[in-house]
């Protein structure tokens, strides 16, 4: 399990890089806000939503 966290490299301050990784297209994402990492599972939607973009905006704030 720890191997997947290595997608976001460790910074000198002990935190991980911030970012979003799409594990499964439009379904499962791994997001890092630096201090913590989260798996995000989305539900299918008829709306044209860029989940990765929305998650990235939330993480980088």
């Amino acid at each position: 399990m720890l191997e997947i966290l290595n997608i976001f490299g460790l910074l000198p301050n002990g935190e991980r890089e911030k970012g979003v990784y799409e594990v499964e297209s439009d379904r499962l994402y791994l997001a890092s806000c630096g201090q913590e990492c989260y798996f995000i599972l989305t539900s299918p939607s008829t709306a044209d939503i860029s989940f990765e973009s929305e998650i990235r905006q939330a993480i980088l704030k």
Side-chain angles (χ1 to χ4, degrees), residues 3-28:
E3 292 83 15
I4 196 164
L5 294 179
N6 289 331
I7 292 170
F8 306 109
L10 277 175
L11 299 173
N13 64 1
E15 293 185 2
R16 296 219 174 253
E17 296 173 326
K18 294 181 180 182
V20 179
Y21 177 76
E22 186 177 50
V23 178
E24 184 180 325
S25 182
D26 291 329
R27 182 83 175 126
L28 180 62

Side-chain angles (χ1 to χ4, degrees), residues 18-55:
K18 294 181 180 182
V20 179
Y21 177 76
E22 186 177 50
V23 178
E24 184 180 325
S25 182
D26 291 329
R27 182 83 175 126
L28 180 62
Y29 299 86
L30 175 62
S32 169
C33 64
Q35 296 175 343
E36 298 177 342
C37 292
Y38 302 93
F39 280 104
I40 301 168
L41 182 63
T42 62
S43 297
S45 173
T46 57
D48 187 25
I49 300 171
S50 173
F51 291 111
E52 186 173 354
S53 176
E54 294 295 324
I55 296 167

